[in-house]
Amino acid sequence: MYQQQERYSLRPKVLQLLAYFLANPHQVIKRESLLSDLWQHGEYREAALTQSINELRQALGDNAQHPTYIRTLPQQGYQWICDVKAQKCAKKQLRLVLAICGATAITVGTSIVTSAFLERAEVQEVQKSALLILPLRNETGVQANAWWGYALESVLKEHLQHTHRLLPKSQTPELLTLPTEEQPSQLRLTLKPMQQRFLLQARLDSRHAEVVVEHLDQNFTEIAQQLLFMLQGQVTRLDNHIDPSPGLADYYRGLQALNEFGPQLAKPYFEAALVLAPHHLPSQLELAQIAWHQGDISQARARFAALDITHASAVLQARYYLYLGAFQKALGEFSQAKKNAQSALILAQQSQQIELIASAYQLRADIAWHLLQWQDYTMAMNAAYALVGSRSFAYSEAQRSFYLANPPAAGPQGKNLLNLAQSKKVLSHAIEYYRQSKDKIDLAKSLFAYGQNYLVPVSESEKSLLEALQIISDSGNFHLKTQVLTYLGFYYIQLHKGEKALYYLNQVELNEQFNSAIEQLNLLKAMAFMDIGLTHSDMDATQAAQRQFSVLLAAPDTSVMTRTNATLLLAWTWLKLDNLDKAQTLTERALADYQRFSISEAATYAAYTQMYIHLLRGQPERAISLVDLDKNKDVHLMLFYSSIAAHMTQNKALEQRSTELLSVLKNSAPLLQQLDEYKQQAGHNHIKHIMLLDAPYSVYCQSKWVLE
């Protein structure tokens, strides 16, 4: 696209969108029409359309508030408001444009758009063939030589991304488990010793190439080009010697160490690279991330601030904003993190690297979760899912499922069960794959995510989490170690092992500036004390929990989510102490907040806590008023209390339906037995017998986990 003398490149889908508008000037076009015509399939369509509109406006220099080209009509759609004049163009130009993008050449002036395209004809994207570049197999017997494979792979990606759709390296375990006929094209590299030299072998589908390498120095750029010429059936061309930038060998050694051992061993390599090349931006960027992963916030801030990415590539700029956004998210600076996540997404889309784009969407999802922006969260996760499949949920949605709000063992929301099932499969393959490779950090991350998946039996998840902790403890990545220790605390709370939970939570050492993590840690410690108090009727532990919940509620900067969670959990402690008035006041407050912020699953916990209080007060009708069987047909205690209240009011229809729904749920046998015992006591003191039934905080026992 040309605007006066400026040339702009558009993604094929954005060009389709522009062509659609130009074919329908001045017409109000509904979002549904655009989605139907341009995005026929996929859960991420809404997010893709919004992003494409933004990209098109940016390319046109348009302003959404004061538009020249595209006007947004709330609740209606979009309208192209600029006059359009279509002209034919020279055949040569048309052939060239069609070859490049399968679409049109478009010149944009102030009020006239000239385009060469068949009116209303569907624009087809040029489909690049998918290619997976497998990690180099180092058969030299010297592990230190593995860095050269990272360097070679980087150069190959730079060249091949123009002719192929490169698949993310992290998808390798999943893709290699597909049937052979369904696997994508693969570039396999092997380095072997050969009489004091090295032999590099490459295989791309049915094509083979071999290059003798004299020394594993910084000659990887020339070797990569030589390989590509040979794989393409061309005569090797090495007319021009390429002088590599100094420090690259140390940089790639750093990347190898980062993936295989962690930041502690990687850091000296990046520092060595900067000794030889003080302005090497990739090394500076990795050191900035390492600084905050190791808990040095002041150094991380200084390193990020010192980076000048003005003239850096789109890929490097995208990584910069991803790293900085993740750092700001960890500090609780969500507003700034959100802006940087958006910048990362735009730049990642310019680079057209799937992994970068998916990472940017996942960062946006993380931030939206903290900001309680559920629609943005869903759209971002769906977009990530569309790009990298269930792996997006394997590493992110697993953590989403551990709501500190809810008595944790309730497990995942029903709509996520399919995602969790697929993620479990993906992670199982990943663990097997990384055990055979040298990438210990990827193995630890896969083990960590696997241990968080609610569909994994407890006997497996505990082992997986502890192995992840062991690997990460030796890596120097304090940030990741903190995440694992924190989750282990949460994990053991679910299993009624409050003392063990405190053992791991007390090992967490956090810089006071990591506000969000400290808040989460304090809430979990309070929950651990609460679990000890509720499980063992330990008054000291219950009071310790009440003190910590009260501190969180009194702090002015406590987040909305934590404040609401602490309110409900504090209500449970008062319920245990038979103070129904305080318990009811706190529960009503928590329920109102959960509903106000659309935290629907957590709201059910507050709702059936109120039901329990009404039953204790002899008010079964008020308990029934809170029942929504259609919405909560898989909530154990909601159905349980509904059956009790229906029995008390002789509402046979409600009692029958509630009991039937409860009976089909896993782990419902103890509740059904209590229900039978309660009915046998008809005519006796109902409050006395209700107090013998499972209370709301006993939801830990009603886990949706497979407890084998």
Side-chain angles (χ1 to χ4, degrees), residues 408-409 457-459 461-462 465 488-501 531 535-536 700-701 703 705-707:
V458 169
S459 57
S461 58
E462 182 176 29
L465 291 168
L488 275 168
F490 171 80
Y491 175 84
Y492 284 115
I493 290 170
Q494 297 179 87
L495 301 182
H496 289 300
K497 297 181 179 180
E499 295 88 350
K500 204 164 187 178
D531 182 69
T535 304
H536 305 293
Y700 295 125
C701 302
S703 176
W705 265 7
V706 181
L707 296 176

Side-chain angles (χ1 to χ4, degrees), residues 662-673:
L662 179 61
S663 64
V664 301
L665 297 180
K666 289 183 178 179
N667 304 325
S668 62
L671 293 178
L672 292 170
Q673 182 178 348

Side-chain angles (χ1 to χ4, degrees), residues 154 251-252 254-255 258 270 280-289 292 304 307 309 312-327 340-341 343-349 351 353 355-357 359-360 363:
S154 177
Y251 169 70
Y252 286 114
L255 289 184
L258 194 61
F270 294 125
H280 188 237
L281 286 176
S283 294
Q284 294 176 358
L285 183 56
E286 294 302 334
L287 284 172
Q289 173 153 269
W292 80 265
F304 277 118
L307 279 165
I309 61 169
S313 66
V315 171
L316 190 60
Q317 289 187 46
R319 282 173 46 210
Y320 167 81
Y321 286 115
L322 274 175
Y323 287 7
L324 180 57
F327 175 46
N340 286 323
S343 298
L345 177 60
I346 293 172
L347 289 159
Q349 288 172 330
S351 72
Q353 292 197 13
E355 188 79 5
L356 270 179
I357 299 172
S359 297
L363 178 57

Side-chain angles (χ1 to χ4, degrees), residues 290-307:
I290 286 174
W292 80 265
H293 279 182
Q294 293 189 324
D296 193 336
I297 293 178
S298 58
Q299 184 180 124
R301 287 191 187 278
R303 287 194 177 277
F304 277 118
L307 279 165

Side-chain angles (χ1 to χ4, degrees), residues 641-707:
Y641 296 148
S642 176
S643 298
I644 298 291
H647 182 79
M648 292 172 64
T649 58
Q650 299 183 354
N651 187 335
K652 300 298 183 182
L654 178 60
E655 181 180 358
Q656 181 178 355
R657 189 175 176 214
S658 300
T659 306
E660 287 176 349
L661 289 173
L662 179 61
S663 64
V664 301
L665 297 180
K666 289 183 178 179
N667 304 325
S668 62
L671 293 178
L672 292 170
Q673 182 178 348
Q674 289 184 38
L675 190 57
D676 288 339
E677 292 174 355
Y678 175 82
K679 291 178 181 179
Q680 292 173 10
Q681 303 296 327
H684 294 75
N685 187 327
H686 78 277
I687 295 179
K688 175 182 177 182
H689 293 293
I690 287 174
M691 293 180 68
L692 298 176
L693 302 176
D694 274 2
Y697 42 78
S698 68
V699 70
Y700 295 125
C701 302
Q702 316 307 326
S703 176
K704 292 180 186 175
W705 265 7
V706 181
L707 296 176

Side-chain angles (χ1 to χ4, degrees), residues 345-645:
L345 177 60
I346 293 172
L347 289 159
Q349 288 172 330
Q350 290 179 16
S351 72
Q352 296 188 6
Q353 292 197 13
I354 296 174
E355 188 79 5
L356 270 179
I357 299 172
S359 297
Y361 273 122
Q362 287 177 303
L363 178 57
R364 286 182 59 175
D366 289 342
I367 297 165
W369 179 269
H370 284 282
L371 295 175
L372 309 184
Q373 296 170 346
W374 308 122
Q375 184 176 1
D376 290 347
Y377 164 76
T378 301
M379 290 173 64
M381 282 307 302
N382 284 343
Y385 180 82
L387 290 166
V388 295
S390 58
R391 193 171 52 81
S392 64
F393 291 98
Y395 293 98
S396 291
E397 193 65 19
Q399 296 181 56
R400 289 298 155 263
S401 297
F402 104 74
Y403 310 114
L404 295 179
N406 307 344
Q413 298 182 52
K415 66 181 181 181
N416 288 333
L417 283 174
L418 182 60
N419 297 329
L420 289 169
Q422 183 62 23
S423 295
K424 177 187 174 186
K425 180 180 178 181
V426 169
L427 289 168
S428 180
H429 292 316
I431 291 170
E432 182 179 352
Y433 176 82
Y434 290 127
R435 284 199 190 283
Q436 298 173 8
S437 72
K438 302 295 182 180
D439 294 349
K440 290 185 177 179
I441 302 304
D442 283 329
L443 173 60
K445 289 179 179 178
S446 299
L447 288 165
F448 181 34
Y450 188 76
Q452 293 178 72
N453 191 300
Y454 282 93
L455 303 185
V456 175
V458 169
S459 57
E460 292 182 34
S461 58
E462 182 176 29
K463 182 180 178 182
S464 183
L465 291 168
L466 293 176
E467 185 179 356
L469 177 62
Q470 183 179 6
I471 295 171
I472 292 166
S473 294
D474 298 329
S475 72
N477 191 328
F478 299 128
H479 173 68
L480 190 52
K481 181 180 177 181
T482 294
Q483 289 182 304
V484 178
L485 284 170
T486 301
Y487 188 83
L488 275 168
F490 171 80
Y491 175 84
Y492 284 115
I493 290 170
Q494 297 179 87
L495 301 182
H496 289 300
K497 297 181 179 180
E499 295 88 350
K500 204 164 187 178
L502 287 173
Y503 169 77
Y504 287 103
L505 294 173
N506 287 333
Q507 294 182 45
V508 176
E509 297 179 1
L510 281 169
N511 186 302
E512 61 182 10
Q513 295 183 58
F514 286 122
N515 297 322
S516 180
I518 289 176
E519 182 180 286
Q520 182 186 62
L521 177 65
N522 289 335
L523 179 61
L524 281 172
K525 285 183 176 180
M527 289 175 69
F529 281 116
M530 180 191 74
D531 182 69
I532 296 170
L534 299 181
T535 304
H536 305 293
S537 297
D538 186 322
M539 180 64 71
D540 291 338
T542 302
Q543 291 177 345
Q546 288 185 329
R547 285 194 298 271
Q548 295 209 29
F549 287 135
S550 298
V551 168
L552 285 167
L553 291 173
D557 56 349
T558 299
S559 68
V560 170
M561 179 75 88
T562 297
R563 186 178 302 278
T564 308
N565 298 340
T567 300
L568 175 61
L569 299 172
L570 180 60
W572 287 356
T573 63
W574 285 115
L575 194 57
K576 176 68 175 180
L577 298 176
D578 297 329
N579 192 324
L580 298 187
D581 291 337
K582 286 188 176 181
Q584 182 165 347
T585 299
L586 290 166
T587 304
E588 289 174 350
R589 188 187 308 164
L591 179 58
D593 285 341
Y594 283 137
Q595 291 174 336
R596 181 155 54 102
F597 296 108
S598 301
I599 310 174
S600 56
E601 186 170 342
T604 64
Y605 288 88
Y608 64 58
T609 299
Q610 280 199 24
M611 289 178 67
Y612 182 73
I613 293 172
H614 291 321
L615 292 176
L616 288 177
R617 291 185 183 279
Q619 302 167 337
E621 295 83 1
R622 296 189 65 182
I624 291 174
S625 69
L626 296 168
V627 174
D628 186 342
L629 296 186
D630 292 329
K631 184 178 178 180
N632 299 305
K633 59 184 177 182
D634 63 345
V635 181
H636 289 75
L637 290 185
M638 177 74 76
L639 300 174
F640 180 57
Y641 296 148
S642 176
S643 298
I644 298 291

Side-chain angles (χ1 to χ4, degrees), residues 266-278:
K267 183 179 179 182
Y269 287 114
F270 294 125
E271 291 173 337
L274 290 178
V275 171
L276 296 174

